[in-house]
Amino acid sequence: QVQLAESGGGLVQPGGSLKVSCVASGTIFRFFTMAWYRQAPGKQRELVAAITTGGSTNYADFVKGRFTISRDNAKNMAFLQMNSLKPEDTAVYYCNTGTMAWQWGQGTLVTVSS
């Protein structure tokens, strides 16, 4: 069974940066499109960014130009570099495949506040 573990969240001031990480175990990671999702309090989970097996990326409009998704297939890891953070980016961030095929991890909380 695939297990996902996210880390790297925390409290950051508006305009600041943060990089969150995800490690997947129990799978052949490199065969899957990976994605980052987020869920803010009282809202539904939404797609933030995705990266294909070939390295092509896509971003939600609300993070374009600010966030960068990447992956390290040798380490079964995905990353999300977040710059120019805004209070509305506050959420729990999760990784999963592009089709949400795996059981969700615990996520990592990102709080943007002064």
Side-chain angles (χ1 to χ4, degrees):
Q1 183 173 349
V2 177
Q3 291 187 322
L4 296 166
E6 299 88 353
S7 62
L11 174 63
V12 61
Q13 292 188 341
S17 297
L18 204 61
K19 186 175 185 178
V20 293
S21 304
C22 163
V23 60
S25 59
T27 184
I28 305 175
F29 181 84
R30 67 182 184 274
F31 290 157
F32 296 90
T33 290
M34 292 302 298
W36 282 94
Y37 304 82
R38 72 184 186 186
Q39 187 167 18
K43 295 187 177 182
Q44 292 199 347
R45 194 169 297 176
E46 59 185 357
L47 176 67
V48 175
I51 183 167
T52 68
T53 56
S56 297
T57 57
N58 282 291
Y59 298 92
D61 286 344
F62 52 79
V63 302
K64 278 183 180 177
R66 300 190 297 125
F67 290 12
T68 302
I69 188 172
S70 60
R71 64 191 297 162
D72 184 338
N73 290 335
K75 296 181 179 179
N76 276 13
M77 294 188 74
F79 307 95
L80 187 68
Q81 175 68 47
M82 302 180 288
N83 300 328
S84 303
L85 282 161
K86 305 175 181 179
E88 52 264 43
D89 294 319
T90 295
V92 178
Y93 285 73
Y94 303 86
C95 69
N96 209 315
T97 70
T99 57
M100 299 180 280
W102 299 334
Q103 185 173 351
W104 294 97
Q106 82 285 355
T108 187
L109 176 62
V110 174
T111 303
V112 185
S113 175
S114 55

